[in-house]
Amino acid sequence: MTLADYHHLFPLQHGSRQVFVKAGARGYPDPRYELLARILEPFGERAVDLNPGVGLVSAELLEQIPVDLVETSRACLRCLEQSFATHPQARVLRGLPWEAEAEAYDQAVLVLPAERGSRYVELALWGAAHSLRRGGRLWIAGDIRKGFETYFKQAQAWLGYGLVSHREGSLRVAVLEKENPTPPGEAGWESFEAEVWGRLLSFHHLPGVFSTGHLDPASRLLLHTFHPSLTEDVKGRTVLDLGGGYGGLSLPFAAAGASVTVVEDDWVSVLSAQASFRANGLEGRVFHSDVEEALPPADRFDIIISNPPFHLGGEVILDVAQAFVQAARSRLCSGGRFYLVANSFLKYEPLLEAAFGNLSTLRREGYKVLRSEA
């Protein structure tokens, strides 16, 4: 797969509707979305989809009522914008599910984002309850192997009456009616401190981002590759962090004097990285970006680092990591270096060899740190 292949959007006919999909975009194929799209019953005059993915569920609702699609993923937003930009009843919005307009909707739909952790799901459910008018309906879809029963009970506690309307294998769909006033909610900001390269840094994040509460061991291993002998080499360099999360890799580089740029698909992570830079008095550019698509075309970097994701909606998917490798090759200055850290079982070596024509394994301690040079 080339970088152009990764970025290509192509149409998918789903029932009577057409939506656009692409590599790296959540929501298709995904049986939770497909089940909810098949059995959903539109209700009222206005709806909100708080985890639309590529828009399978919203496409069905839009047959009858206006829908606001609130999405965090830049890859998904690109698909939604292509699918619904000219639809008179659709509004595609970048945002967090718990920031939806209060008591503005008759219907809310939510495919439970269980892969993001229980706190994120709870906030999304609170956002759905908060967004509904009294008498409004919430439809949720999920998997009993991934906490559906617990989340359904939480939704009942906030809204009131609810029932499981459909069962299909381990999949469930429930519908609830808002009978209760929504209790106050909290945004959920958290922080922790970690010492990297002799400096104590404060990392701030919202729920649902990768490695909450601590620097993950893979990122620490990559950072230790530079310490102590190579950190002087960082000063004054231009550094790109592909898939930077809340800044676990990029903040230490900025603190060491590098000019840092972060690209991140997830809006929750973008907000977290921006908060982390501010909290430490550091400067860094943070782009909400599907791999490198939001970067200025002429941008090139001395060092590119990445701890790439390999899950999409709970499934192991390597398309994004492959796109990261190819983006790194296209964005490195001549003589620049690309450092990638990954689980040992992931077969990234052929990708780097194919893209760069060279490869070194610098560390192998549970995880592996790979380097290629332009």
Side-chain angles (χ1 to χ4, degrees):
M1 184 185 69
T2 67
L3 197 54
D5 292 333
Y6 172 82
H7 283 304
H8 179 65
L9 278 67
F10 55 93
L12 169 73
Q13 195 67 34
H14 191 265
S16 62
R17 301 294 304 173
Q18 178 179 277
V19 297
F20 281 81
V21 300
K22 70 174 297 294
R26 180 187 69 257
Y28 181 84
D30 188 317
R32 301 171 301 167
Y33 284 89
E34 294 174 55
L35 175 61
L36 185 55
R38 189 170 73 245
I39 60 92
L40 184 66
E41 299 173 5
F43 174 77
E45 297 180 354
R46 189 183 179 198
V48 62
D49 188 342
L50 294 174
N51 186 21
V54 297
L56 295 187
V57 177
S58 288
E60 297 302 320
L61 284 174
L62 283 164
E63 292 285 323
Q64 298 187 44
I65 58 175
V67 182
D68 289 351
L69 298 87
V70 181
E71 178 57 58
T72 65
S73 162
R74 178 60 190 149
C76 290
L77 284 165
R78 293 179 65 200
C79 295
L80 297 174
E81 289 161 359
Q82 183 70 21
S83 299
F84 304 117
T86 61
H87 197 296
Q89 296 199 109
R91 285 202 310 165
V92 176
L93 306 171
R94 179 179 70 180
L96 309 179
W98 53 90
E99 292 181 343
E101 187 178 351
E103 299 184 1
Y105 303 95
D106 302 302
Q107 184 170 25
V109 296
L110 178 68
V111 174
L112 296 172
E115 65 280 356
R116 302 200 66 158
S118 59
R119 180 58 180 152
Y120 186 92
V121 179
E122 289 168 3
L123 281 170
L125 284 169
W126 180 88
H130 185 65
S131 74
L132 287 171
R133 303 182 180 108
R134 189 70 66 92
R137 294 179 183 175
L138 168 63
W139 290 72
I140 59 174
D143 192 316
I144 57 172
R145 298 170 300 183
K146 297 180 180 179
F148 176 86
E149 296 292 347
T150 298
Y151 298 134
F152 175 51
K153 290 176 182 177
Q154 179 64 75
Q156 284 182 305
W158 278 329
L159 280 92
Y161 175 76
L163 59 85
V164 177
S165 64
H166 286 76
R167 295 172 172 84
E168 194 169 288
S170 63
L171 302 182
R172 299 289 185 271
V173 173
V175 59
L176 303 100
E177 182 171 326
K178 183 173 182 178
E179 300 174 323
N180 307 325
T182 310
E186 296 290 337
W189 280 99
E190 301 173 13
S191 65
F192 68 94
E193 293 183 335
E195 185 175 329
V196 184
W197 298 344
R199 176 165 176 168
L200 189 64
L201 297 171
S202 178
F203 297 90
H204 293 244
H205 61 82
L206 289 162
V209 301
F210 172 67
S211 184
T212 57
H214 67 285
L215 275 182
D216 68 287
S219 293
R220 280 196 174 275
L221 184 64
L222 190 153
L223 290 166
H224 288 166
T225 301
F226 285 83
H227 181 70
S229 61
L230 293 179
T231 52
E232 282 299 312
D233 190 33
V234 168
K235 211 173 279 186
R237 301 287 186 177
T238 54
V239 175
L240 172 65
D241 186 353
L242 288 166
Y246 54 69
L249 287 177
S250 55
L251 249 68
F253 279 84
S259 176
V260 171
T261 298
V262 178
V263 292
E264 172 58 58
D265 174 76
D266 177 39
W267 183 236
V268 184
S269 297
V270 168
L271 295 174
S272 299
Q274 290 172 339
S276 293
F277 276 96
R278 286 195 302 269
N280 291 277
L282 297 171
E283 293 186 2
R285 298 187 303 168
V286 184
F287 289 94
H288 191 212
S289 182
D290 183 9
V291 188
E292 87 310 344
E293 54 91 23
L295 290 176
D299 277 14
R300 296 294 182 272
F301 302 89
D302 300 312
I303 298 170
I304 298 180
I305 52 176
S306 186
N307 182 0
F310 61 94
H311 288 103
L312 182 66
E315 301 295 327
V316 175
I317 301 291
L318 300 185
D319 288 355
V320 176
Q322 186 173 353
F324 277 13
V325 171
Q326 294 174 352
R329 183 64 187 90
S330 69
R331 292 285 180 166
L332 274 177
C333 300
S334 178
R337 290 160 290 156
F338 175 46
Y339 296 86
L340 180 148
V341 65
N343 294 74
S344 294
F345 64 84
L346 295 170
K347 304 301 182 184
Y348 289 151
E349 288 86 347
L351 302 181
L352 273 74
E353 287 274 18
F356 291 90
N358 63 83
L359 173 69
S360 300
T361 301
L362 302 181
R363 303 283 287 268
R364 192 179 285 275
E365 299 173 21
Y367 301 89
K368 58 190 175 187
V369 178
L370 308 176
R371 182 184 68 193
S372 290
E373 299 181 6

